Amino acid sequence: MSDRGSHLQDVLNAPEGPHIAALFDFDGTIIAGYSATAMLWEKIKRGELSAEELVETANVMAQYSMGSLGFSGLMEAASKFMKGVTEDSYFQFGEELYEKHIARKVYPESRALIEAHIAKGHTVAIVSSATIYQIEPTARDLNIEHVLCSQYEVKNGEFTGNIIRPLCFGEGKVIAAEKLAKKHQLDLDNSYFYSDSDDDIELLERVGNPRPLNPNGKLTEIAKERGWPLQKFDSRGQGKPVDYLRTIYATGSLVTSFVAGLPIWALTGSQREATNFSTGLFGDVAAALAGVRLDVSGEENLWAQRPCIFVFNHQSKVDVMIIAKLVRKDIGAIAKKEIRDMPIIGKVMELAGTVFVDRANGRNAIKMMEPLVDAIKIDGKSICIAPEGTRTLSPKVGPFKKGAFHLALQARVPIVPIVIHNAGDVAPKNEFVMRPATVKVEVLPPVDTSDWKRSTLNQHVAEVRNMFLTALGQVEDAKPQEVPVKALADKTVEPKSAANTNSSPAAAKKPEVTAPGAKAEVQT
């Protein structure tokens, strides 16, 4: 295998321009594992499959795995179960699937590749045998405009139980790619295709820059024979036993670090000194056990003006150890009330000065934070808050809540932004296991709040949030959640027969569907 940065370095050295396409397979390439498997398990978990459907599904999958049933047959079998189901329900299911399962499976290295291609002005597309319902939320998150995928037939807003041929599989991917190339004047001979499977050999051979990524055994052999560069990522998917051990020990070190500080409390009578010792110890020990290394810039800003309000973007459960390692002493924090109910850990955090708030009750949350004003003014403590309120599914910064800013306004102390770039590399949201990684952190200069007014607080919140967006290189549109995604389906039928004629507002927001060989585009 080539080194981890070889594909990325290749892109950085590539020519610019939209005439170059960067095509990505989805399952196994952008994400670890298979989205269809996640979809099936979620349906089983919800009890949405009858016993008969479960047996039939198992039978079909067994036939497919043994090679007695092709991909077309697999899709046909799946489509029969969907007859009469509304397409809107599947778009909603896709969003929930993304939040629960798929978001945490996105390879950070693949994300970096996609971002590099976008920065070069290349035309980026997903070319996958999966459906738009599995892909669209991820494509939106990654700012990928074009999605070429397999399609179920939809009429009057409901699935008919039929598939649209040809499917986006094998030669069908080539047809879809050439359709996209013709429409956008792409030069496939100088374009890229990333895939993990020998099922995609036709499109790998069609482009000028085939890039096997996390390749299976057969594709690995083919690539070595032909001299294609290989790369494999291990940052997602099934963790190694050592990863589970490091996760358990790193998490448990919160308790052991607190216990280590008890003698200081007992002998000196100072809870504050004991807490300071335990906080720094936890940050150091937990980071070491988890294999987290910090690349910090602006570290002097951590100590420039204290007390203060430290605000940080929240991507991962490892953010807690990162903040502890950086800030180290004389701090308090705010956390969601659910953590207080966790055995041992909740009590330890409470003793350490954490205030637990009900995020669903804004007025109550502000009231519960009032003791923190005294902690700042009287005790000289700094407060650590994640203004997003909860972990984000991706590195993208979410909306900011105002609690931290109200606190700064009342206490008249500066705000110090701590920008965490890639904590998700260690453990994204909803992922238990931690993996070793170097996390880049920027500590920005203190923001003076002495002239802030309650009437202009929204403006100040936006200004601080924009600091995070700028540091992370996230250019935000007026409606950041509505990045258009075009789904290009491989089909030979006329557009009218495949179009969803549902005219509801929800349907109007669905991706644009273009068919190779069709005479017109249709909006579903």
Side-chain angles (χ1 to χ4, degrees), residues 279-512:
T279 299
L281 181 64
F282 165 66
D284 292 339
V285 172
L289 289 170
V292 176
R293 299 168 297 280
L294 299 185
D295 177 11
V296 184
S297 61
E299 193 167 3
E300 66 278 4
N301 295 320
L302 291 168
W303 309 98
Q305 295 186 41
R306 290 205 186 186
C308 63
I309 308 295
F310 290 105
V311 294
F312 61 96
N313 54 312
H314 197 10
Q315 302 174 16
S316 170
K317 60 185 178 183
V318 302
D319 294 337
V320 176
M321 67 178 68
I322 290 173
I323 295 300
K325 185 175 177 64
L326 291 173
V327 181
R328 304 197 72 81
K329 67 177 186 175
D330 296 332
I331 59 174
I334 295 175
K336 59 183 180 181
K337 67 173 186 177
E338 291 83 359
I339 294 179
R340 182 174 52 192
D341 299 327
M342 296 176 64
I344 303 178
I345 290 178
K347 189 62 178 179
V348 168
M349 292 182 66
E350 187 175 15
L351 290 171
T354 301
V355 171
F356 300 98
V357 300
D358 182 359
R359 295 179 300 183
N361 189 332
R363 290 184 180 180
N364 184 54
I366 293 175
K367 183 176 179 61
M368 292 187 70
M369 287 194 295
E370 288 178 357
L372 293 176
V373 177
D374 291 337
I376 296 169
K377 290 183 174 181
I378 299 173
D379 299 331
K381 285 188 175 183
S382 297
I383 308 300
C384 300
I385 305 178
E388 292 161 298
T390 187
R391 282 175 281 170
T392 55
L393 289 167
S394 77
K396 290 184 178 180
V397 177
F400 275 13
K401 299 180 186 297
K402 299 178 186 177
F405 304 90
H406 277 293
L407 200 57
L409 183 64
Q410 293 178 55
R412 292 297 176 186
V413 294
I415 282 181
V416 178
I418 299 178
V419 184
I420 303 174
H421 282 252
N422 58 310
D425 290 5
V426 181
K429 184 176 181 179
N430 297 328
E431 181 66 77
F432 170 76
V433 69
M434 298 181 189
R435 291 178 171 85
T438 297
V439 178
K440 180 181 177 182
V441 180
E442 288 182 76
V443 185
L444 304 184
V447 177
D448 183 18
T449 66
S450 60
D451 61 349
W452 280 17
K453 298 178 181 179
R454 191 176 298 274
S455 60
T456 58
L457 194 61
N458 286 343
Q459 174 187 334
H460 302 311
V461 173
E463 289 171 351
V464 173
R465 184 172 181 272
N466 283 334
M467 293 178 184
F468 281 84
L469 295 173
T470 300
L472 293 167
Q474 297 177 12
V475 178
E476 192 166 85
D477 298 327
K479 294 183 178 181
Q481 301 301 320
E482 296 184 11
V483 177
V485 177
K486 296 178 180 178
L488 283 75
D490 295 307
K491 61 183 179 182
T492 56
V493 296
E494 289 297 314
K496 184 176 180 181
S497 66
N500 176 1
T501 58
N502 189 335
S503 58
S504 69
K509 297 180 181 179
K510 296 295 186 293
E512 183 181 1

Side-chain angles (χ1 to χ4, degrees), residues 16 53 59 150 166 174 179 260 286 316 333 363 367 476 498:
E16 299 181 354
E53 289 173 333
N59 180 47
S150 297
V174 178
K179 168 71 177 180
S316 170
R363 290 184 180 180
K367 183 176 179 61
E476 192 166 85

Side-chain angles (χ1 to χ4, degrees), residues 239-254:
K240 301 174 184 177
V242 67
D243 295 325
Y244 285 92
L245 284 175
R246 75 169 73 250
T247 300
I248 293 169
Y249 284 125
T251 304
S253 66
L254 175 63

Side-chain angles (χ1 to χ4, degrees), residues 204-219:
L204 285 165
E205 292 175 334
R206 174 64 185 85
V207 299
N209 298 297
R211 293 293 181 265
L213 190 56
N214 308 317
N216 62 18
K218 190 170 182 180
L219 181 56

Side-chain angles (χ1 to χ4, degrees), residues 186-232:
L186 306 178
D187 180 6
L188 291 181
D189 291 335
N190 284 298
S191 294
Y192 298 77
F193 178 45
Y194 299 87
S195 175
D196 71 308
S197 175
D198 60 290
D199 288 335
D200 292 333
I201 190 64
E202 292 93 342
L203 186 52
L204 285 165
E205 292 175 334
R206 174 64 185 85
V207 299
N209 298 297
R211 293 293 181 265
L213 190 56
N214 308 317
N216 62 18
K218 190 170 182 180
L219 181 56
T220 298
E221 293 177 5
I222 294 172
K224 288 181 177 179
E225 290 175 0
R226 303 188 184 187
W228 293 345
L230 301 173
Q231 195 163 10
K232 185 175 179 61

Side-chain angles (χ1 to χ4, degrees), residues 46-118:
R46 295 182 179 195
E48 294 181 358
L49 292 179
S50 66
E52 181 182 352
E53 289 173 333
L54 278 172
V55 171
E56 179 63 23
T57 299
N59 180 47
V60 168
M61 292 180 67
Q63 291 183 59
Y64 179 71
S65 63
M66 292 186 295
S68 58
L69 183 70
F71 181 74
S72 179
L74 182 68
M75 287 290 289
E76 280 186 342
S79 68
K80 301 304 179 185
F81 295 137
M82 299 169 62
K83 185 176 181 179
V85 178
T86 64
E87 187 184 31
D88 278 349
S89 68
Y90 255 70
F91 272 111
Q92 180 60 40
F93 182 55
E95 293 291 341
E96 295 173 9
L97 196 71
Y98 172 74
E99 292 180 8
K100 291 183 178 180
H101 302 285
I102 295 180
R104 62 187 172 90
K105 295 179 179 291
V106 176
Y107 285 109
E109 300 93 339
S110 293
R111 184 185 291 274
L113 274 172
I114 291 165
E115 290 174 349
H117 277 293
I118 292 174

